[in-house]
Amino acid sequence: MALYLLYESSSGYALFQAQGLDEIGQNTEAVRNSVVDLNRFGKVVQLTAFQPFESAIDGLNQCNSVSEGLMTDELRSFLELNLPKIKEGKKSKFSLGVAEPKLGSHISETTKITCQSGEFVLELLRGVRLHFDKFIKDLKPGDLEKAQLGLAHSYSRAKVKFNVNRVDNMVIQAIFLLDTLDKDINSFSMRVREWYSWHFPELVKIVNDNYLYARVAKLIEDKSKLSEEHIPALTEILGDEDKAKEIVEAGKASMGQYLTPVDLINVQLFAQRVMDLAEYRKNLYDYLVTKMNDIAPNLASLIGEVVGARLISHAGSLTNLAKCPSSTLQILGAEKALFRALKTRGNTPKYGLIFHSSFIGRASAKNKGRMARYLANKCSIASRIDCFAERGSTVFGEKLREQVEERLEFYDKGVAPRKNIDVMKSAIETSQNKDVEMEEAPHVEASTKKSKKKKVKPEDAPVAATNGDASEDDAKSEKKKKKEKRKMEQEQDHGAEKTNGVNGDVAENDGTAKKKKKKSKDEGVAASETKKKKKSRE
């Protein structure tokens, strides 16, 4: 059986025919030894056809399709033109050697060409790659290297690029920074407490919050200068006038030591740094909330922005989280405890990062495991909807949250929750209605704009008079409306006649009623004539 080799170079597709394989032998080691020698390898492998790429963009597209295991139309036409034709109902008398097995399977499915890829074929293709510039005569020295470099750069750029609308990497970095900021602010605020407590130790018991403590220390500076004038400023910071008065009184009878002005300046600067970090942490949290609503709105509405972001960062990306089953998602973050339990044959953990959700905290001790399993199931559904849905919406996340709330009530009070099918149907209906409203909104806005343009104010009357085309259009539209009304009336009349023709009884009744009316009219006319005659006789 003849063997052809398909080589995808950076400059185009090349097809080689391997002849006299018996001289080398069907052995990979023999091929490896013969690959280096061009005289021996050139006798076995010969170039049959070469098709260069039209442009660099075409080369990139072909490279992407080959890496994904897909055969393009250009490659199919190239193979059909240069390979021997296969008769219908018969097997091919040759085989095609391919480096990519996925590409070979796709070629065999579409064109019915038998493809093979193994160590023997790969060694032959390695020899082709080594001596490719010598097989093609038109290539100049250095052209192949430039083509390879340009294609490598463009291919790597295309692979590195991510979907701009769903950049979950921003969420991963934000949640990592948020966690580190929490640790740093906590440690720095404790350092401020210890540092300033040498001067004013009573303040620690009065102000418990770290951020408020730093602000108060920045405001007070020297405790000996505390007076009733500081009470309004302290009430603004603390929000409690009683605490402000308590601080002033404690400052008068404080047992702290005296600090030099230089020490106080350093304490104030450090307290200001802690305040700036705390404010930056708030801004970063707002940024995380907005990004989570853009990337994973359903997961954020179900379990919260922070816990959802931690799940995404621990899984690596939103797609990895969507691929995880609910059992894996349930114990994300508890890998050490899981492997310890498997090693010691103890109880496996019930929850990992999901434990930070408020639902598990609200559940009772005996129902925490059930609640974690149910919540992980809903989180996996929400993450898959966020990852693979075309349009982002919070409809499914809100409905899933309602289901979790109902399950909590079922565990606590025994109230039967709704079925999952009913909830999902209602969620699909609401999402479809929202999509329809979104589609109708621009049409409504356009119609309102047109109506505003058509309305002419009395002040703008001369301007409207100059626009004769607009007035003619209005007159034409009115005439069309009148014609349509006439047509509708005529159709109604024809319909009434048809119904009278079909329903004979109804027509007869109408005729008798008309005859009765005529008789009553004739009798009334006759009575009036007799009265006139009597008056004339008298």
Side-chain angles (χ1 to χ4, degrees), residues 327-338:
S327 59
T328 306
L329 194 145
Q330 182 181 350
I331 56 170
L332 273 179
E335 287 82 5
K336 286 184 180 179
L338 175 66

Side-chain angles (χ1 to χ4, degrees), residues 392-499:
S393 64
T394 59
V395 176
F396 290 95
E398 291 170 358
K399 294 292 182 182
L400 293 171
R401 189 179 181 86
E402 289 175 5
Q403 279 188 297
V404 178
E405 294 281 354
E406 290 175 0
R407 184 53 64 102
L408 267 176
E409 291 183 358
F410 172 70
Y411 288 146
D412 294 339
K413 301 176 183 178
V415 180
R418 291 177 292 173
K419 291 184 179 179
N420 192 26
I421 298 171
D422 300 333
V423 177
M424 288 297 107
K425 282 181 180 178
S426 63
I428 291 166
E429 288 175 0
T430 51
S431 64
Q432 288 175 353
N433 293 331
K434 282 189 177 182
D435 292 338
V436 171
E437 289 176 359
M438 291 290 287
E439 291 176 357
E440 290 178 353
H443 298 293
V444 173
E445 289 177 358
S447 62
T448 52
K449 287 180 181 178
K450 288 180 181 178
S451 62
K452 286 179 181 178
K453 287 180 182 178
K454 285 180 181 179
K455 289 179 181 179
V456 180
K457 295 180 181 178
E459 296 174 358
D460 301 329
V463 179
T466 56
N467 297 328
D469 298 332
S471 61
E472 288 177 2
D473 294 334
D474 295 333
K476 288 180 181 179
S477 62
E478 289 178 358
K479 286 180 182 179
K480 286 182 181 178
K481 288 180 181 178
K482 288 180 181 179
K483 286 181 181 179
E484 289 175 357
K485 285 183 180 179
R486 287 175 186 173
K487 286 181 181 179
M488 291 290 290
E489 290 175 358
Q490 289 176 2
E491 288 175 359
Q492 288 177 358
D493 294 336
H494 287 300
E497 289 175 2
K498 287 178 182 178
T499 53

Side-chain angles (χ1 to χ4, degrees), residues 84-94 111-112:
K85 294 182 180 180
I86 303 169
K87 294 181 180 180
E88 294 182 358
K90 292 185 178 180
K91 293 182 180 180
S92 60
K93 296 180 180 180
F94 62 92
T111 60
K112 295 181 180 180

Side-chain angles (χ1 to χ4, degrees), residues 277-334:
L277 279 175
E279 289 174 0
Y280 175 67
R281 195 257 180 207
K282 290 179 183 178
N283 296 330
L284 185 65
Y285 177 75
D286 296 335
Y287 168 75
L288 179 66
V289 169
T290 54
K291 292 301 290 183
M292 280 296 292
N293 289 327
D294 293 337
I295 295 165
N298 292 303
L299 186 64
S301 60
L302 171 62
I303 202 170
E305 289 83 5
V306 177
V307 182
R310 279 177 183 155
L311 288 172
I312 291 171
S313 66
H314 196 82
S317 64
L318 183 62
T319 53
N320 291 341
L321 186 66
K323 291 175 185 177
C324 290
S326 60
S327 59
T328 306
L329 194 145
Q330 182 181 350
I331 56 170
L332 273 179

Side-chain angles (χ1 to χ4, degrees), residues 172-189:
I172 295 168
Q173 298 298 329
I175 193 63
F176 272 127
L177 184 57
L178 196 70
D179 291 336
T180 53
L181 274 177
D182 287 335
K183 294 177 183 177
D184 294 340
I185 289 168
N186 194 11
S187 60
F188 291 161
S189 58

Side-chain angles (χ1 to χ4, degrees), residues 55-340:
S55 61
I57 298 170
D58 185 25
L60 178 62
N61 294 330
Q62 299 294 328
C63 184
N64 287 325
S65 61
V66 168
S67 65
E68 292 174 1
L70 300 174
M71 182 179 64
T72 58
D73 296 333
E74 291 84 357
L75 178 59
R76 183 172 184 175
S77 62
F78 173 69
L79 292 175
E80 288 177 352
L81 286 171
N82 297 300
L83 286 173
K85 294 182 180 180
I86 303 169
K87 294 181 180 180
E88 294 182 358
K90 292 185 178 180
K91 293 182 180 180
S92 60
K93 296 180 180 180
F94 62 92
S95 62
L96 182 66
V98 183
E100 294 289 334
K102 291 182 180 179
L103 181 64
S105 62
H106 191 250
I107 290 170
S108 61
E109 286 176 2
T110 52
T111 60
K112 295 181 180 180
I113 297 170
T114 56
C115 298
Q116 61 177 354
S117 60
E119 291 184 2
F120 180 71
V121 174
L122 290 175
E123 289 298 327
L124 288 174
L125 288 172
R126 188 172 69 86
V128 170
R129 191 185 304 111
L130 185 63
H131 307 294
F132 183 70
D133 55 345
K134 296 173 184 176
F135 280 109
I136 297 170
K137 298 177 181 178
D138 296 334
L139 282 176
K140 296 178 183 178
D143 289 346
L144 190 63
E145 287 78 4
K146 289 179 182 178
Q148 287 175 353
L149 187 64
L151 184 62
H153 279 296
S154 57
Y155 180 75
S156 59
R157 279 196 205 98
K159 286 295 180 183
V160 166
K161 281 183 181 178
F162 207 73
N163 190 358
V164 181
N165 298 322
R166 295 179 177 179
V167 186
D168 51 3
N169 189 27
M170 300 297 115
V171 172
I172 295 168
Q173 298 298 329
I175 193 63
F176 272 127
L177 184 57
L178 196 70
D179 291 336
T180 53
L181 274 177
D182 287 335
K183 294 177 183 177
D184 294 340
I185 289 168
N186 194 11
S187 60
F188 291 161
S189 58
M190 291 301 294
R191 185 60 57 195
V192 170
R193 281 171 175 268
E194 290 180 3
W195 200 350
Y196 195 68
S197 293
W198 287 98
H199 181 62
F200 195 179
E202 292 83 6
L203 187 63
V204 177
K205 295 180 181 179
I206 300 169
V207 182
N208 296 320
D209 188 61
N210 295 327
Y211 178 67
L212 295 178
Y213 186 90
R215 290 184 65 185
V216 170
K218 177 81 168 51
L219 178 67
I220 292 171
E221 295 181 1
D222 192 359
K223 66 178 180 180
S224 61
K225 296 178 182 178
L226 265 177
S227 62
E228 294 181 355
E229 295 177 356
H230 291 84
I231 290 174
L234 288 170
T235 50
E236 286 182 3
I237 295 170
L238 298 171
D240 191 359
E241 191 175 356
D242 296 334
K243 281 189 176 181
K245 291 179 180 178
E246 189 177 355
I247 289 169
V248 173
E249 291 176 359
K252 293 177 181 177
S254 178
M255 298 292 290
Q257 67 180 12
Y258 175 76
L259 290 180
T260 60
V262 178
D263 296 334
L264 287 172
I265 288 168
N266 285 319
V267 173
Q268 289 172 5
L269 289 173
F270 189 60
Q272 185 63 43
R273 291 294 175 89
V274 173
M275 290 163 58
D276 294 338
L277 279 175
E279 289 174 0
Y280 175 67
R281 195 257 180 207
K282 290 179 183 178
N283 296 330
L284 185 65
Y285 177 75
D286 296 335
Y287 168 75
L288 179 66
V289 169
T290 54
K291 292 301 290 183
M292 280 296 292
N293 289 327
D294 293 337
I295 295 165
N298 292 303
L299 186 64
S301 60
L302 171 62
I303 202 170
E305 289 83 5
V306 177
V307 182
R310 279 177 183 155
L311 288 172
I312 291 171
S313 66
H314 196 82
S317 64
L318 183 62
T319 53
N320 291 341
L321 186 66
K323 291 175 185 177
C324 290
S326 60
S327 59
T328 306
L329 194 145
Q330 182 181 350
I331 56 170
L332 273 179
E335 287 82 5
K336 286 184 180 179
L338 175 66
F339 292 120
R340 192 189 307 118

